[in-house]
Amino acid sequence: MNRIPRRPPRTRDGDAPVPLSVPEIRGNAWRYLRRCLDSNWVSSAGPWVERFETALAARVGARHAVATVNGTAALHTALLVAGVRPGDEVLVPALTFIAPVNAVRYAGAWPVFIDAEPDHGQMDVDGARDFLARRCRRRRGVLRNRDTGRPVRAILPVHLLGHPCDMDPLMSLAIRHGLTVVEDATESLGAEYRGRPVGRPGHLACFSFNGNKIITTGGGGMIVTDRADWDEKARYLTTQAKDDPVEFIHREIGFNYRLTSLQAALGLSQMEWLDRFLRRKRTLALRYAGALRNISGLLLPGEAPWARSSWWLYVVGIDGERYGETSRDVIRRLEKANIEARPLWHPIHSLPPYRRCQAHRVEVADRLYRRSLALPSSVGLTRRQQDRVIRALTAGCRT
Ligand SMILES: *Cc1c(COP(=O)(O)O)cnc(C)c1O
């Protein structure tokens, strides 16, 4: 039973909705949930959460994993564990979902936006290097932004869309400047960087099990690290900073950020399918690539030579001039055919809450945003559904 069984098409007319990305609940989900309920361990106490943490740590090759209520909470906690304090600055990509940038603000710190590199849309390590070399200065042991005077404390790269960032030069850069790296690996569980699983620390890395991620717990997240003291600190902060198991002593302001057993039980069943889901995502990506290869003005995503993508979302670029329609035209046309396609995230540095924050030479992110289009990428996407997407994209082109 290695293959994912195909569901029969729900309608005959062939225009049932094709969603962008929906969860795939399979295998032992019901069995584990029932066992969890029967055990009466439904909150965060009990064996389930620990089992899920152990399974994920083993998969990623990390010594420790701390489960959280969602990926955003994992990022917030990881930043605090990394020593990010109010008034500090953290380097973030301009092109990302907003959650990691919000997490920087939850910690009271400020984002500095770094551009995307043009080939894979990941945070541009050269841009980060340029910012640190030209715009920052070390004074009395503290690296400070020359323009704002604030201490720069961490780098938060996001492995976007299932493709890893170029981590080796980024880690050397961080180590050279004494910065901690908090990886947002929420979209890239199962991806590999130079043969190592994404999130394999590094310093700290965060995952998400939201409904549209490669595996889901409904909502959930995880922090992984190799450092025992960081693991302990993350556990402490996510359980209301409890200093005594009996008396209610709290030396710090903590959070109620722990995952529940019910979610962990679902997560354990999903982990058993991760490799099959990854194979399926790769097959879908290869099939899109083969079918859309020769369409003029359609720019296909690739893998860097050192990368193995999880192909979480298949995102193409539309060159409006050559293709004959803009990415937004295509989205509207696909919508009429009952196919859900979406733009990429609006670059965060030009959104209202972040407009006044520093953006270091951001250009590529804006261009990628305008031309990009995410195509249906669910693990359970059928051949017929994918053919409909391919036909719609082929029909629109000029050639
Ligand atoms: C999904 C996502 C998150 C947040 O995860 P939640 O579990 O939804 O809080 C963070 N960063 C990125 C890049 C994401 O795509």
Side-chain angles (χ1 to χ4, degrees):
M1 243 267 295
N2 252 345
R3 293 183 43 229
I4 293 160
R6 295 231 169 75
R7 288 192 184 132
R10 242 172 273 160
T11 56
R12 289 181 156 275
D13 58 18
D15 66 353
V18 182
L20 185 75
S21 179
V22 289
E24 193 72 16
I25 306 299
R26 295 199 169 278
N28 287 319
W30 278 112
R31 186 172 317 148
Y32 293 175
L33 275 167
R34 172 170 287 283
R35 265 193 225 156
C36 176
L37 288 168
D38 289 345
S39 75
N40 212 33
W41 290 111
V42 291
S43 77
S44 299
W48 293 93
V49 174
E50 197 187 317
R51 271 182 213 151
F52 185 38
E53 288 171 341
T54 305
L56 191 106
R59 183 65 172 76
V60 173
R63 292 218 181 99
H64 307 281
V66 180
T68 57
V69 71
N70 57 51
T72 311
L75 287 160
H76 179 196
T77 307
L79 286 164
L80 296 176
V81 168
V84 172
R85 294 289 168 265
D88 286 351
E89 291 187 351
V90 178
L91 273 54
V92 298
L95 186 68
T96 172
F97 179 55
I98 199 168
V101 187
N102 286 343
V104 169
R105 290 296 297 128
Y106 300 165
W110 296 96
V112 174
F113 295 99
I114 302 295
D115 205 2
E117 42 83 11
D119 297 333
H120 307 285
Q122 308 298 322
M123 184 159 96
D124 184 21
V125 182
D126 293 335
R129 186 181 297 113
D130 188 69
F131 171 77
L132 292 168
R134 297 159 71 123
R135 308 273 13 118
C136 300
R137 184 169 40 190
R138 184 167 288 281
R139 277 217 325 262
R140 289 190 218 102
V142 181
L143 185 73
R144 286 182 190 274
N145 182 334
R146 288 168 189 259
D147 299 320
T148 61
R150 295 180 188 131
V152 180
R153 203 68 74 180
I155 310 182
L156 199 169
V158 183
H159 305 289
L160 285 177
L161 301 168
H163 193 286
C165 298
D166 197 359
M167 286 306 289
D168 283 352
L170 193 133
M171 288 307 295
S172 344
L173 189 65
I175 289 162
R176 173 139 45 88
H177 289 277
L179 304 173
T180 305
V181 175
V182 174
E183 293 172 62
D184 181 336
T186 52
E187 301 182 355
S188 299
L189 175 61
E192 286 174 18
Y193 175 73
R194 297 191 185 277
R196 313 192 291 267
V198 156
R200 176 165 172 195
H203 294 152
L204 293 140
C206 298
F207 293 94
S208 163
F209 314 111
N210 180 24
N212 70 359
K213 300 291 154 78
I214 185 135
I215 63 165
T216 188
T217 58
M222 195 85 77
I223 304 164
V224 299
T225 181
D226 270 358
R227 270 179 63 166
D229 56 333
W230 281 351
D231 167 70
E232 200 180 313
K233 181 82 189 189
R235 256 167 234 290
Y236 175 72
L237 287 174
T238 52
T239 46
Q240 306 279 28
K242 205 186 292 170
D243 280 296
D244 187 289
V246 182
E247 300 291 336
F248 292 96
I249 308 295
H250 307 264
R251 278 181 291 124
E252 279 185 53
I253 298 174
F255 304 88
N256 180 9
Y257 272 178
R258 285 292 270 164
L259 193 78
T260 69
S261 299
L262 285 166
Q263 291 162 313
L266 182 56
L268 275 167
S269 75
Q270 288 269 289
M271 280 300 285
E272 296 171 353
W273 287 77
L274 176 58
D275 285 324
R276 280 170 283 196
F277 288 176
L278 288 165
R279 277 203 293 277
R280 182 77 186 132
K281 290 272 196 194
R282 178 162 292 270
T283 305
L284 290 174
L286 285 172
R287 201 150 176 273
Y288 271 135
L292 303 174
R293 188 172 62 215
N294 290 323
I295 299 181
S296 153
L298 206 60
L299 312 159
L300 301 181
E303 279 169 311
W306 36 261
R308 189 170 171 85
S309 180
S310 72
W311 294 107
W312 172 61
L313 264 190
Y314 197 80
V315 175
V316 298
I318 304 276
D319 174 343
E321 299 262 292
R322 282 161 57 214
Y323 185 78
E325 278 177 307
T326 67
S327 61
R328 302 315 191 256
D329 295 333
V330 178
I331 289 173
R332 277 189 293 272
R333 193 161 54 72
L334 291 180
E335 196 184 345
K336 287 197 191 108
N338 230 351
I339 296 166
E340 187 185 13
R342 289 247 192 101
L344 267 193
W345 316 278
H346 196 295
I348 311 294
H349 67 290
S350 46
L351 292 176
Y354 295 109
R355 238 175 242 155
R356 294 218 291 278
C357 295
Q358 191 167 8
H360 184 67
R361 302 185 167 171
V362 177
E363 292 164 17
V364 176
D366 292 311
R367 195 168 74 230
L368 292 179
Y369 161 66
R370 279 194 300 275
R371 75 170 195 208
S372 294
L373 173 70
L375 300 180
S377 306
S378 304
V379 162
L381 191 76
T382 64
R383 194 171 250 272
R384 277 176 56 159
Q385 287 177 318
Q386 194 177 21
D387 284 339
R388 271 174 58 202
V389 182
I390 290 165
R391 270 201 305 278
L393 287 166
T394 317
C397 71
R398 270 187 184 151
T399 43

